Amino acid sequence: MDVTDFPDDLVQTQAAWNATYQALAAPRPRDTTTLRRRLLLLSVRPWWHPYWETVPSLPATRSELRHLARAHGTVRAA
């Protein structure tokens, strides 16, 4: 699959989910209630994104999105 097929907002949402998950998984996170609520909100957005109406939502495709978002987050942090 060509990684450029994913819309930017979908990749950014997945990257935000990754960052929120990492913040919540950190030792002694601050404001866990806010982080949990954000994680729930960000969990819904990629799942129901209009992109999945045009492409089959296969586990491999969603996995590719997660890998791309991790790379996106790594580049942004550098």
Side-chain angles (χ1 to χ4, degrees):
M1 167 174 216
D2 185 14
V3 293
T4 59
D5 289 340
F6 293 115
D8 288 336
D9 64 325
L10 181 57
V11 175
Q12 290 171 357
T13 301
Q14 183 65 47
W17 186 95
N18 292 345
T20 304
Y21 185 87
Q22 288 174 348
L24 192 57
R28 297 183 198 169
R30 302 189 107 203
D31 205 7
T32 57
T33 301
T34 301
L35 289 172
R36 287 179 181 158
R37 286 179 181 159
R38 180 165 169 75
L39 193 64
L40 286 170
L41 176 69
L42 291 170
S43 294
V44 172
R45 287 182 181 170
W47 188 262
W48 295 109
H49 193 278
Y51 173 76
W52 301 116
E53 294 175 13
T54 61
V55 174
S57 177
L58 301 172
T61 309
R62 289 191 180 268
S63 179
E64 183 67 28
L65 172 63
R66 286 190 297 273
H67 290 294
L68 180 62
R70 272 190 220 114
H72 180 74
T74 303
V75 169
R76 182 177 254 178

